[in-house]
Amino acid sequence: MDLAFIPSPSVGVVHLGPIPLRGYAFCIIIGVFFAVWLGNRRWIRRGGRSGTVADIAVWAVPFGLVGGRLYHVITTPEPYFGENGHPLDAFKVWEGGLGIWGAVALGALGAWIACRRRGIPMPAYADAVAPGLALAQAIGRWGNWFNQELYGKPTDLPWALEISSDPAIGRIAGTYHPTFLYESLWCVGVALLVIWADKRFRLGHGRAFALYVAAYCAGRAWIEYMRIDTAHHILGLRLNVWTALIGLVLAVAYMVVSAKRAPGREEIVEPGALEERAAQEAAAEQGTAAGTGTDTDTEAAEGGEVTLRKPADRTPRTPRTPKKPGEKASERAAGSGTGSDKKS
């Protein structure tokens, strides 16, 4: 008797009126959001402009979705083009079936096109988004949980995944290894590893991205070996195991060769970004200095003792004639006029 297990959702889609809200699609969307958010922060720290990562993602994400679906359909053609297959189902991405290898490959092509249009070195961009991609995969894997797919061998471990029966697709009820969870946790570890190594060794020229590929492939090889869903085998190993091993070797080789040919990190990752940032900082400093002077005067007027003095009147005044005892004002004025006539 199983005392503990991870339950699977009874449904993978909720309808909001005529609009279906699918858990698989939500996981992908949330993963893309976090990948762009983290990639943007890292790109700015490396000297790029804010928003560039999102602009390039507009190209990379659609290419990646198409590539992921193509890889799945090509390597698993039976449900679509085999006996009793339905070719139009190949377009139903929301039902699951995205190969990460095709997604990364074609997504990289879309990113390369966008980078080339902007004059941005593709390796620098790949380094910035590498941990975000791993984080996106960690979130996206929960879409398999909503669809009750890609689980491992039967087990009675406390963290076993409960799967319900579905005779239409040959799914047998039971508790299985939650390989989606294993891969999700592994991808979180990959993201943290890349962030740490990038800070520690200042990885550049595509080496942070290569580390992500190598670390992910190392985990995917043993996780893939646990899965029991239908797959093609070569020399007794699943196709994706071979793909992971080849990716691991190529990524490590790239890191070694790149470190010798281009050590360090790129000084400039986006043309004009550093100059633009310097101009913005200078303008901000000038605004701060001007604001500080104004604030000082205001504070003095509000909190200090301020004495307002009327400006002195500098107009020459006519000397007053001393008043004699018993003399009237009219006589004094007349006498003053007489004196003036004598002087003239």
Side-chain angles (χ1 to χ4, degrees), residues 18 25 63 85 105 116 123 150 165 171 205 225 232 281 290 296 310 325:
F63 272 74
R116 185 176 178 83
L150 306 186
S165 175
R171 192 170 67 198
H205 301 281
Y225 186 76
H232 293 283
E281 292 177 354
T296 301
K310 183 178 179 181

Side-chain angles (χ1 to χ4, degrees), residues 284-314:
E285 290 179 359
Q286 292 178 357
T288 302
T292 302
T294 304
D295 293 343
T296 301
D297 296 341
T298 303
E299 291 175 1
E302 293 179 353
E305 295 181 0
V306 180
T307 303
L308 300 179
R309 298 180 179 179
K310 183 178 179 181
D313 185 1
R314 300 183 181 277

Side-chain angles (χ1 to χ4, degrees), residues 38-336:
L38 180 58
N40 184 67
R41 291 173 60 89
R42 288 172 51 81
W43 183 250
I44 294 174
R45 291 195 189 102
R46 297 172 101 87
R49 292 188 181 93
S50 176
T52 298
V53 170
D55 292 340
I56 296 177
V58 172
W59 285 78
V61 173
F63 272 74
L65 290 175
V66 173
R69 189 59 175 177
L70 283 175
Y71 181 88
H72 169 74
V73 173
I74 292 173
T75 57
T76 314
E78 292 80 10
Y80 314 105
F81 307 106
E83 186 177 358
N84 299 322
H86 300 84
L88 293 180
D89 288 350
F91 296 96
K92 297 180 179 179
V93 180
W94 54 88
E95 293 184 354
L98 292 175
I100 184 62
W101 316 112
V104 172
L106 215 57
L109 175 61
W112 176 80
I113 294 174
C115 286
R116 185 176 178 83
R117 290 165 59 91
R118 285 174 166 263
I120 293 174
M122 176 64 182
Y125 179 82
D127 286 340
V129 301
L133 292 178
L135 184 60
Q137 287 177 251
I139 298 173
R141 272 305 174 196
W142 284 86
N144 302 131
W145 177 65
F146 281 101
N147 287 351
Q148 295 195 46
E149 60 185 3
L150 306 186
Y151 43 85
K153 300 174 183 179
T155 182
D156 57 357
L157 292 171
W159 57 85
L161 176 66
E162 182 188 35
I163 296 296
S164 61
S165 175
D166 189 348
I169 59 176
R171 192 170 67 198
I172 302 174
T175 54
Y176 301 84
H177 276 284
T179 51
F180 86 91
L181 178 60
Y182 298 160
E183 186 169 337
S184 179
L185 295 175
W186 183 271
C187 286
V188 172
V190 170
L192 296 176
L193 172 64
V194 174
I195 292 174
W196 171 81
D198 193 30
K199 290 182 179 180
R200 176 67 176 79
F201 303 105
R202 288 185 56 80
L203 301 177
H205 301 281
R207 288 188 289 277
F209 182 81
L211 176 60
Y212 147 70
V213 173
Y216 172 75
C217 289
R220 179 62 184 269
W222 67 266
I223 295 172
E224 182 73 22
Y225 186 76
M226 298 178 65
R227 284 168 45 173
I228 59 175
D229 53 297
T230 303
H232 293 283
H233 288 70
I234 299 176
L235 299 178
L237 292 178
R238 294 166 63 96
L239 175 60
N240 283 336
V241 174
W242 284 109
T243 306
L245 294 176
I246 293 173
L248 172 61
V249 173
L250 292 177
V252 172
Y254 178 89
M255 292 179 65
V256 174
V257 175
S258 175
K260 293 181 179 180
R261 297 184 60 181
R265 182 184 290 177
E266 299 90 342
E267 295 295 333
I268 299 176
V269 298
E270 187 169 4
L274 295 178
E275 292 79 359
E276 180 180 322
R277 185 177 302 175
Q280 292 176 351
E281 292 177 354
E285 290 179 359
Q286 292 178 357
T288 302
T292 302
T294 304
D295 293 343
T296 301
D297 296 341
T298 303
E299 291 175 1
E302 293 179 353
E305 295 181 0
V306 180
T307 303
L308 300 179
R309 298 180 179 179
K310 183 178 179 181
D313 185 1
R314 300 183 181 277
T315 304
R317 297 183 179 181
T318 304
R320 298 180 62 183
T321 303
K323 182 179 179 181
K324 297 179 180 180
E327 185 181 16
K328 297 182 179 179
S330 58
E331 294 176 355
R332 187 173 64 255
S336 176

